Amino acid sequence: MAIWSTWGVIVRWLGLPPVVILFYTSLIASMTVPSILAFRGELDLTGSLAVWPWFLALLFSSLVNNISYFYALAHTTVSNAVFTHYTAPLFVAILAPLLIAESVQRVTLLSLPLAIGGMVLIIISGGGLQLHGAHARGIVAGTVSGLAYALLIIASRKLSRMRMHHKAIVLVLWGTTCVTAIPALLEQYTLDARKAGLLVLTGIAHSTLAPLLYYSALRHVIAQFAAILGYLEPLFAVPVAFVFLSEAPAFPALAGGSLILISGYLIVHDSARKARLPDKNSS
């Protein structure tokens, strides 16, 4: 989450169309991820036809999530983009029981309102969300990315439970590269040495390292918890935006960040408690 929290700064620095950023980072990761998995002996692309609907759902939600999120980052403030994007846990709480039969956990009923409250405080500190004017398109795009991100989490959790997470990463990267190739090549943009270096760095950090860590973690964390812990990304994004973009957080933003940290602590504490239960029962 800490790695992904720097997306706002990277998108601003690159100044490239969203589909161009997505194409180049996916192209780089589509070569590095299979190489890493092959080196670790974990590159297995076999699987039954039954999992393909989930692969397609993952690819579609990943494309919509990335393109709409990058668009939001380019057309509104980092705070607006990040916190509309993180309507995702709300969608996960609603859709996970329907799509993957994941029951709502009691700790979710406490931690989710805390995290949402923290998000609202941070939005208020930035002047609130106004669904009109110059930022309207970015806010709408951020909300669309939130729904797509929720579907991505659900599909990822399903594939992780089926031990298909490594295959999912590779196929999503290859599919994203193919789908975005022609639109990216049709865009008009300039690519100098600085931007090329940033794209390589982003392809390795944001599109290779972060997904490998995230998908592996989803094997041990249910979708609801993954979505709520995702609020740590906007929490990290606030100081990053302050340091690199001079977007200073106000006191409500700091209070909201505290609520998000408390929410994350509750999730981690509950997960740790449940992980210890089998040992207690066996003793």
Side-chain angles (χ1 to χ4, degrees):
M1 292 304 171
I3 295 174
W4 281 330
S5 69
T6 61
W7 264 127
V9 174
I10 296 295
V11 169
R12 295 287 183 87
W13 283 351
L14 284 169
L16 295 172
V19 70
V20 173
I21 299 174
L22 185 55
F23 168 68
Y24 281 110
T25 54
S26 297
L27 177 63
I28 294 167
S30 66
M31 294 182 286
T32 56
V33 169
S35 299
I36 293 172
L37 294 178
F39 177 78
R40 291 161 53 179
E42 298 174 347
L43 184 61
D44 181 10
L45 298 182
T46 61
S48 66
L49 293 176
V51 301
W52 276 98
W54 288 105
F55 285 133
L56 294 175
L58 185 64
L59 174 59
F60 175 77
S61 58
S62 177
L63 285 168
V64 174
N65 170 55
N66 282 296
I67 292 175
S68 56
Y69 186 41
F70 292 166
Y71 183 91
L73 288 169
H75 289 82
T76 185
T77 66
V78 171
S79 295
N80 282 350
V82 168
F83 294 111
T84 51
H85 175 68
Y86 275 94
T87 53
L90 286 173
F91 293 123
V92 170
I94 295 170
L95 296 176
L98 300 175
L99 297 179
I100 57 175
E102 184 179 280
S103 60
V104 177
Q105 303 294 303
R106 282 186 296 178
V107 70
T108 299
L109 299 177
L110 174 61
S111 57
L112 182 57
L114 282 175
I116 293 173
M119 181 184 71
V120 170
L121 283 174
I122 298 176
I123 291 174
I124 291 173
S125 73
L129 288 175
Q130 301 295 326
L131 295 178
H132 56 79
H135 297 285
R137 289 181 298 171
I139 291 170
V140 172
T143 305
V144 171
S145 73
L147 176 58
Y149 184 37
L151 295 174
L152 186 152
I153 291 172
I154 291 171
S156 299
R157 171 60 179 166
K158 179 69 175 182
L159 290 167
S160 295
R161 290 196 313 204
M162 301 167 71
R163 297 191 177 275
M164 292 287 179
H165 52 290
H166 287 152
K167 180 179 179 180
I169 300 174
V170 175
L171 291 179
V172 165
L173 288 172
W174 287 350
T176 302
T177 303
C178 293
V179 170
T180 58
I182 294 178
L185 294 175
L186 292 177
E187 289 279 359
Q188 294 183 351
Y189 59 93
T190 57
L191 195 62
D192 55 26
R194 183 187 68 85
K195 291 181 180 179
L198 276 175
L199 286 171
V200 171
L201 175 63
T202 304
I204 294 173
H206 296 72
S207 300
T208 299
L209 178 60
L212 284 174
L213 293 173
Y214 182 76
Y215 279 78
S216 296
L218 274 176
R219 292 177 55 192
H220 311 287
V221 180
I222 65 174
Q224 297 164 54
F225 290 1
I228 295 171
L229 289 174
Y231 276 115
L232 293 175
E233 182 182 338
L235 179 61
F236 292 140
V238 170
V240 168
F242 171 69
V243 172
F244 294 102
L245 300 177
S246 300
E247 293 184 4
F251 175 77
L254 299 177
S258 299
L259 290 179
I260 292 173
L261 284 176
I262 293 172
S263 173
Y265 169 78
L266 292 173
I267 292 295
V268 173
H269 177 74
D270 187 73
S271 297
R273 180 184 63 82
K274 290 179 178 178
R276 292 193 298 267
L277 286 179
D279 294 333
K280 289 183 178 182
N281 293 335
S282 61
S283 59

